[in-house]
C-alpha cells in the first residue's frame, strides 16, 4: 500500500506536506452538499451570493494588506484557490449550514450548531495552515478566525431570515475589523 498514489499521499500527510488543498476541499464540499444540503437550493440563493460577495470584498479591501492569504499550494495560478473558495467553497458550505440549521429549536441548540460549524471551519483552516495553503499576516491568527467564523455564521443566518438587516449588520462589523487591523482605504485595490 505504500507504493502508488495512496502511499505518496500518506507519506505527505505524515510530513505535513499536502498540495492542492483548495481542490481537495472543493471536492469534499461538493460531496457533502450531495449528502447534506437541501435540494431546494433556490431559497438559499440570495444568502449564498452574500457569502460569495463578502469573501470577494475581503480580497478587494485587503488586497495590499492581507490578513490571511490563500497560497497556490501546488497550483500554477495563485488566483485558483481564491476563486474556488469564493465561487464554490463559501456558497456550498453556507448552503449546507443553512440547510441543516435547527430553525425551530431552542436558542441553546442553535448556539451549539453554530459552534460545531465554527469548529469544523477552524479545523479545516488549521489543517490548511499546517499544509501551507493558508498563511497569516498583519496580526491575524487562528483565534481571530474562530471569532470571525462565529460572527460569519450568525450573519449568514440573519441574512437568510432578513437580507436587508443582514447587509446592514455587516457594515459595522466590517468597519470594526478594518479599524482593529488598520485597513485603510489607501490599502484597497
Amino acid at each position: 500500500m505504500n507504493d502508488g498514489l495512496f502511499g505518496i499521499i500518506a507519506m505527505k500527510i505524515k510530513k505535513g506536506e499536502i498540495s492542492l488543498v483548495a481542490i481537495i476541499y472543493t471536492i469534499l464540499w461538493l460531496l457533502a452538499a450531495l449528502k447534506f444540503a437541501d435540494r431546494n437550493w433556490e431559497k438559499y440563493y440570495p444568502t449564498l451570493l452574500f457569502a460569495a460577495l463578502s469573501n470577494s470584498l475581503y480580497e478587494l479591501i485587503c488586497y495590499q494588506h492581507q490578513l490571511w492569504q490563500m497560497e497556490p499550494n501546488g497550483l500554477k495560478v495563485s488566483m485558483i484557490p481564491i476563486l474556488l473558495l469564493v465561487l464554490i467553497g463559501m456558497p456550498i458550505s453556507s448552503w449546507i449550514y443553512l440547510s441543516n440549521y435547527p430553525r425551530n429549536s431552542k436558542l441553546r441548540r442553535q448556539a451549539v450548531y453554530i459552534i460545531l460549524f465554527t469548529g469544523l471551519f477552524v479545523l479545516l483552516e488549521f489543517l490548511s495552515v499546517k499544509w501551507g495553503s493558508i498563511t497569516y499576516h498583519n496580526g491575524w491568527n487562528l483565534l481571530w478566525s474562530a471569532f470571525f467564523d462565529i460572527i460569519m455564521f450568525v450573519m449568514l443566518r440573519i441574512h437568510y431570515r432578513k437580507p436587508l438587516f443582514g447587509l446592514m449588520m455587516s457594515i459595522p462589523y466590517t468597519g470594526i475589523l478594518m479599524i482593529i487591523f488598520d485597513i485603510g482605504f489607501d490599502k484597497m485595490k
Side-chain angles (χ1 to χ4, degrees), residues 4-89:
L5 180 62
F6 291 113
I8 292 168
I9 292 171
M11 284 179 54
K12 286 186 174 273
I13 289 173
K14 233 178 176 177
K15 292 180 182 178
E17 303 169 3
I18 298 290
S19 293
L20 309 173
V21 172
I23 291 175
I24 293 167
Y25 283 0
T26 299
I27 292 167
L28 290 175
W29 279 120
L30 289 168
L31 292 173
L34 290 173
K35 175 123 176 103
F36 300 110
D38 182 353
R39 295 296 162 247
N40 186 11
W41 62 271
E42 294 91 350
K43 67 183 180 180
Y44 305 107
Y45 188 66
T47 304
L48 306 185
L49 289 178
F50 171 70
L53 177 64
S54 298
N55 205 283
S56 298
L57 284 174
Y58 162 77
E59 295 298 334
L60 289 173
I61 292 170
C62 295
Y63 178 73
Q64 293 182 0
H65 191 77
Q66 295 278 307
L67 300 177
W68 65 88
Q69 184 172 336
M70 304 288 293
E71 301 295 340
N73 192 245
L75 299 168
K76 296 209 184 271
V77 180
S78 63
M79 186 57 75
I80 291 174
I82 295 166
L83 289 172
L84 289 172
L85 178 65
V86 168
L87 300 175
I88 299 172

Side-chain angles (χ1 to χ4, degrees), residues 98-148:
L98 292 169
S99 292
N100 296 285
Y101 192 88
R103 290 166 186 73
N104 300 321
S105 298
K106 292 184 177 181
L107 189 59
R108 183 170 190 246
R109 183 153 185 247
Q110 292 176 24
V112 167
Y113 183 76
I114 290 168
I115 290 168
L116 288 174
F117 241 86
T118 299
L120 173 63
F121 265 54
V122 168
L123 174 63
L124 292 174
E125 187 168 321
F126 171 79
L127 294 173
S128 296
V129 169
K130 183 174 172 54
W131 294 332
S133 66
I134 292 178
T135 54
Y136 296 136
H137 310 276
N138 299 305
W140 195 264
N141 57 45
L142 193 60
L143 189 60
W144 274 110
S145 286
F147 174 72
F148 177 87

Side-chain angles (χ1 to χ4, degrees), residues 150-169:
I150 290 169
I151 302 296
M152 177 186 72
F153 286 121
V154 169
M155 297 302 286
L156 286 171
R157 178 65 180 156
I158 290 170
H159 184 274
Y160 174 71
R161 300 261 307 150
K162 298 183 186 283
L164 186 58
F165 184 64
L167 286 170
M168 299 307 277
M169 291 290 296

